[in-house]
Amino acid sequence: MNSEHTLLSIIAQDPEWTRKHASQLSPVLFATESNRYIFEAVTECGPEWDMTTITNALRRRGKLDAIGGPSGVSELFNDFPVMSMAQHHLATVRDATTLRRALQCHQTASERLNLALTVGT
């Protein structure tokens, strides 16, 4: 299980932890589109959520099939993440997000430099 999936399991299973760390959580953290959809559905559910409310939110958004159907949601509740490792998984996901953004910036700069060389500007 990767850190993104583990973090989503923690978020899904522990609303109190999620509320406590809400300022550090964002859809941008999730590289996988399906994980982003799940996180957005959780935040749409309001202060309390469970497997049914998350599934219904995904269904309303038309994203339930994209995450693997109801079984994709139930996976989050069938996993048993070690809650004492929650901060570690959050930090790992945040670090990966920073690296992805740096890589995107580097790729954009490289493309612009190559264009400048070929066009002559």
Side-chain angles (χ1 to χ4, degrees):
M1 183 170 12
N2 68 33
S3 285
E4 270 191 30
H5 184 83
T6 303
L7 182 60
L8 274 177
S9 286
I10 291 165
I11 289 168
Q13 293 180 37
D14 193 343
E16 184 61 34
W17 183 91
T18 304
R19 281 189 288 278
K20 184 177 177 183
H21 296 89
S23 65
Q24 298 175 40
L25 300 170
S26 165
V28 170
L29 291 176
F30 300 97
T32 308
E33 194 171 69
S34 59
N35 288 344
R36 246 188 333 273
Y37 294 154
I38 292 169
F39 178 79
E40 290 167 348
V42 169
T43 58
E44 179 184 310
C45 290
E48 295 295 325
W49 55 83
D50 59 20
M51 193 172 0
T52 303
T53 58
I54 295 170
T55 301
N56 287 338
L58 287 162
R59 187 175 285 120
R60 275 192 309 275
R61 290 170 159 240
K63 303 296 184 189
L64 188 58
D65 289 338
I67 63 104
S71 64
V73 177
S74 69
E75 265 184 35
L76 299 173
F77 290 89
N78 291 331
D79 292 334
F80 298 101
V82 177
M83 295 308 289
S84 63
M85 294 295 292
Q87 273 306 121
H88 166 75
H89 292 294
L90 176 57
T92 300
V93 171
R94 289 175 60 105
D95 290 348
T97 300
T98 301
L99 291 174
R100 273 194 315 277
R101 285 183 172 177
L103 180 60
Q104 287 171 343
C105 287
H106 174 74
Q107 288 171 335
T108 299
S110 178
E111 289 167 7
R112 288 181 181 173
L113 286 170
N114 281 330
L115 182 62
L117 287 172
T118 57
V119 175
T121 57

